[in-house]
Amino acid sequence: MTAWGAESLLTEEQEAIRDVLNGFARRVMRPLGQKLDRIDPGEQLAPGSPYWSFMKEFATLGISVADLMAMPEAERAVLLCIANEEFGYGDGGLAIVLGATMLPHVMMHMFGRSDLIAKYPEGVPGCWAITEPDHGTDMLDPNGAIFAPNAKYGRPNCVAKFEADRIVLQGQKAAWCSNAPAAEICVLYVAADTGNGADPRNGACIIVPLDAPGVTKGRVIAKMGQRALPQGELFFDNVELPLDNVIAGPEDYKRAVYGVHAEANTLMGAVWTGNARSAYELAWDYAHERKQGGVPIIRHQSVAQRLFHMARKIELSRALTRRVALYNATAPTPSLPSAMMAKITGTQTAFEVASDAMQIFGGNGMTDEYPIEKTFRDARLALIEDGCNEILSIKGGYGLADPERFA
Ligand SMILES: Cc1cc2nc3c(=O)[nH]c(=O)nc-3n(C[C@H](O)[C@H](O)[C@H](O)COP(=O)(O)OP(=O)(O)OC[C@H]3O[C@@H](n4cnc5c(N)ncnc54)[C@H](O)[C@@H]3O)c2cc1C
């Protein structure tokens, strides 16, 4: 896509990294993502599946959480935006596989847990389990800010009971745990019972090895988009773990939620900016090839102005996401409202741009002969993933209020 100067220039090194990752996105992610999109969910993780080819190819890039975490914060922030945009450009679902698989390691580093890093070395595939059958985006809101005045939280579906020398997990997490069916460890966000009953507001963040006795997995769920991303339930039946596996206990739980929420929402902005860029490019290309009235359709005003607005939204989304990532990387406390703005802007942009791209493709866009319908399906899920956009904006909106003006 042409550079319009809406974003600050990249260094030569950053450009070189972007080019390598763009090659990976085109050569590996796009074709494997398309194959996985057509595979029955039950076969997605079978030996020889494109999922495993993807993971093998990704390993050759040599990207490591430890190296990333050792970088200066601002440098890392820009690099993560560049990388995630290219991954989202390649395939939205596979980009989320990468985020999910690395997340437990990111959290171990964030909380300085070298003991756990040694116990669960990098390369062990991971996932994030926070939502539950009865609790969705509210799990990202331990302050209860989003609830309607008379609402009650209700019973958690999963509880970590703290005993003198161990924790015991009982219950289940939602079918939405990204990459759980393939994962070997999970970073679990769960209501904690420290002797006075389970309280989701005082939860715990725990590293759970998924081969521990009592852990079982649900089937890979079938869904309309991001089908390259395997998702499924996790069940815990009296799973006993040492207290050392707790990354954050009740006293630190809000910080753990806040940390993962700010980081994940910002990077969602980058992933879905990349997805929007891929939709734009498909439409731009098609608009030069398809003729109506004897001219390529890009010569028709409605198509030209539609493409212009698509490009404008992508530039805005990228600029906002990079600015938020840079600010949050260096600020004393990351700004959660800004991260939510990046997530909402990136995902809304992906959805709108993919929808506009479908319109430019006309009838052809509705068929699976053309890749644009998959990009649109992938983008649709992102409005819900990582917190429904409307709930995130309610939370962000409450944050705008100045309590001193209420008197
Ligand atoms: C592709 C994808 C990937 C995901 N990955 C993960 C993952 O890795 N790990 C994980 O744990 N979860 C994951 N999720 C789950 C995701 O975070 C939840 O689906 C999401 O938070 C919404 O929860 P829910 O589906 O239970 O919807 P509900 O919470 O039941 O919401 C249903 C509707 O009601 C609205 N609503 C609910 N509460 C309120 C409120 N207080 N105020 C206003 N409106 C409200 C919502 O906006 C929504 O429109 C993923 C989901 C998707 C789609």
Side-chain angles (χ1 to χ4, degrees), residues 65 69 102-120 127-129 160 162 167 169 185-190 192 203-209 241-260:
V65 174
M69 297 306 275
M102 289 190 256
L103 194 69
H105 297 98
V106 171
M107 295 312 293
M108 291 182 228
H109 280 273
M110 206 184 262
F111 280 78
R113 292 297 302 271
S114 46
D115 57 327
L116 290 174
I117 295 167
K119 199 164 162 191
Y120 305 108
C127 69
W128 178 27
F162 278 64
I167 31 173
L169 303 176
I185 56 169
C186 158
V187 59
L188 178 74
Y189 281 67
V190 64
C205 171
I206 303 166
I207 295 290
V208 183
L241 293 172
L243 287 168
D244 286 348
N245 279 39
V246 177
I247 287 191
E251 68 293 341
D252 231 3
Y253 185 63
K254 285 181 182 140
R255 181 161 84 94
V257 176
Y258 195 99
V260 76

Side-chain angles (χ1 to χ4, degrees), residues 273-293:
T273 299
N275 198 255
R277 205 179 93 218
S278 77
Y280 168 85
E281 285 186 8
L282 290 169
W284 181 88
D285 203 40
Y286 185 81
H288 284 81
E289 278 171 16
R290 175 76 174 169
K291 287 193 174 136
Q292 281 302 352

